[in-house]
Amino acid sequence: MKRRDFMLAAGTAAGALMLPRMSFGAEGTIDWYTSSDQNVLDFWTNVVKPKFEAANPGLVLNLVDGGDGAGVAAIGDRALAAMATGADPQADIFEGFDTRVTVDGIAKGLYVDFEKAGLSNYSKINPLAFDTPTNLPYRGSQVLLAYDTTKLDPANAPKTWPDLVAWIKANPGQFIYNRPNKGGSGGNFVRRAILEANGKDPSKFTVDNYTQEFGDAALNPAWDILKDLAPSMFDGGAYTSGNTQSLQLLGQSAVTMIPTWSDQALSAIAQGVLPETTGLVQLSDLGLPGGFTKIAVLTNGVNKDASLKLADFVLSEEIQSAVLTELGGFPGVSWDYVAADLREKFKDIIPTSIPVFPGGDWEKAVNDGWYRAVAPNVDPNS
């Protein structure tokens, strides 16, 4: 599922029309599939593709929208079946895909182990981004705080959770977040409250450790935190219906601060949706949750070696800097390998931690519990 409801749509139609129409499985033509949003496809079409092809004469990058995670997963399953028969999988590289989704794919050697691939830029990857060697992190996104610097001096912007709580209470009506089932920015603000109530320890939560008893013990203290904040929210306890509405309220100066996805905020500022006076800050005691998007390369693809060149290329300083300036994402490499002027420009949002929070049964428990305990008068389906 494509996770965000906000997309700055300039150029999206043009990007779709620019997709090359080429035969699949041709040597020298890298067949690339994505499960990401149109803005990511545009980035690859307009930035990565021309730069990579110019640097690698004879190689062509064929960009294909896989539809969503399930669509790319089906291509992975097809590639695994092709491995068993020695057939051409008609695919080389996936973007926005977790190799663990393909049942037995890693065990049967379907995906390249990047620890052993010899990429020249592999050592530059941000240590916070690693999970499994068959997933190559190359860009990230994290929820952070966006605020109006004409109302709040950057020197006084809250940089810890207790400071944020104190600011919200001292400035009633000037903060809002979206309902947790209506967008990841508000959902991850809620999850940051859960982590605060549980010793700032993300390791306590895994995709398979939810039980009713543990869930109640872990979540109820977080509901107390958020209930205590509710009267200080915008309009005495209102919540937006999605990421977009939160950004709109900030852009209209209706509020002073919101939680927002880093890529959405950076893109919105760059395109004038948010004013240049918008400040961005990340909590230093424990960041708001986020994650990294990965690349996977098929071992049985016709263009495996060329795909590894591409994987190495997107970790270069040129492309990683463009992730910031053109896509509005976080770099996948450590910030030391991003252009110095960009490090200075974005110093307030460079994360020291990127906590993750599991889905599955936890997601349902978080959403249901929030409506029941924090906002009982709000219809979850509205």
Side-chain angles (χ1 to χ4, degrees):
M1 180 178 291
K2 299 190 177 183
R3 67 178 173 83
R4 295 189 290 277
D5 66 356
F6 176 76
M7 182 172 67
L8 299 169
T12 56
L17 292 173
M18 290 175 67
L19 285 175
R21 297 179 180 178
M22 301 177 182
S23 60
F24 293 92
E27 187 172 353
T29 298
I30 302 170
D31 292 324
W32 172 102
Y33 289 86
T34 184
S35 65
S36 297
D37 291 330
Q38 182 68 47
N39 61 327
V40 175
L41 183 55
D42 289 344
F43 174 73
W44 279 80
T45 300
N46 300 322
V47 178
V48 179
K49 175 179 167 66
K51 290 181 181 296
F52 176 74
E53 292 178 353
N56 296 273
L59 295 181
V60 175
L61 185 52
N62 181 37
L63 303 174
V64 184
D65 187 348
D68 56 14
V72 177
I75 299 167
D77 292 340
R78 184 186 73 192
L80 185 62
M83 174 177 274
T85 63
D88 178 3
Q90 298 185 335
D92 297 296
I93 186 168
F94 297 155
E95 191 274 351
F97 182 73
D98 187 338
T99 55
R100 288 168 291 204
V101 170
T102 306
V103 177
D104 294 331
I106 296 174
K108 293 183 177 180
L110 179 63
Y111 297 107
V112 166
D113 181 334
F114 289 105
E115 287 184 348
K116 302 173 182 178
L119 302 186
S120 62
N121 291 316
Y122 189 77
S123 62
K124 299 177 182 178
I125 293 174
N126 190 329
L128 297 172
F130 286 112
D131 58 4
T132 188
T134 52
N135 289 341
L136 184 75
Y138 86 100
R139 63 178 174 90
S141 184
Q142 187 172 10
V143 174
L144 43 74
L145 301 172
Y147 63 98
D148 184 345
T149 61
T150 67
K151 297 180 180 179
L152 173 61
D153 188 327
N156 299 324
K159 294 181 174 62
T160 67
W161 181 266
D163 288 346
L164 175 59
V165 168
W167 184 89
I168 292 172
K169 289 185 175 182
N171 297 272
Q174 292 302 303
F175 186 90
I176 196 166
Y177 64 94
N178 62 264
R179 291 177 271 157
N181 66 327
K182 297 294 185 179
S185 60
N188 279 324
F189 175 79
V190 169
R191 284 158 176 78
R192 179 60 182 83
I194 295 169
L195 295 173
E196 185 69 18
N198 287 272
K200 299 184 179 70
D201 185 2
S203 69
K204 289 184 177 180
F205 302 91
T206 65
V207 70
D208 57 359
N209 77 343
Y210 175 81
T211 65
Q212 182 71 50
E213 182 179 8
F214 179 39
D216 289 345
L219 299 181
N220 287 342
W223 305 149
D224 290 339
I225 292 173
L226 295 172
K227 282 190 293 184
D228 183 52
L229 287 177
S232 300
M233 292 291 108
F234 176 73
D235 200 25
Y239 306 93
T240 65
S241 60
N243 303 318
T244 302
Q245 192 179 11
S246 295
L247 285 162
Q248 289 171 341
L249 288 177
L250 180 63
Q252 296 163 1
S253 295
V255 296
T256 300
M257 183 183 294
I258 61 168
T260 178
W261 283 107
S262 55
D263 53 350
Q264 291 182 0
L266 292 171
S267 295
I269 293 169
Q271 299 189 23
V273 176
L274 289 177
E276 293 183 359
T277 53
T278 302
L280 302 172
V281 67
Q282 184 55 270
L283 300 181
S284 59
D285 51 350
L286 180 69
L288 292 154
F292 285 86
T293 297
K294 283 91 172 179
I295 284 172
V297 172
L298 296 166
T299 58
N300 59 337
V302 172
N303 297 284
K304 183 186 79 171
D305 291 342
S307 296
L308 290 175
K309 282 187 178 182
L310 175 61
D312 209 23
F313 182 76
V314 298
L315 296 176
S316 66
E317 180 175 314
E318 179 182 23
I319 299 302
Q320 289 295 297
S321 295
V323 166
L324 267 167
T325 59
E326 303 297 327
L327 185 59
F330 277 3
V333 299
S334 295
W335 285 75
D336 290 344
Y337 300 106
V338 173
D341 61 322
L342 294 177
R343 291 201 304 272
E344 175 62 24
K345 180 178 180 180
F346 297 112
K347 62 184 179 181
D348 286 342
I349 61 171
I350 295 176
T352 57
S353 61
I354 305 179
V356 296
F357 199 94
D361 291 338
W362 280 110
E363 182 172 4
K364 185 178 188 304
V366 168
N367 292 340
D368 291 349
W370 184 86
Y371 278 102
R372 184 180 64 254
V374 181
N377 296 323
V378 178
D379 180 0
N381 299 314
S382 63

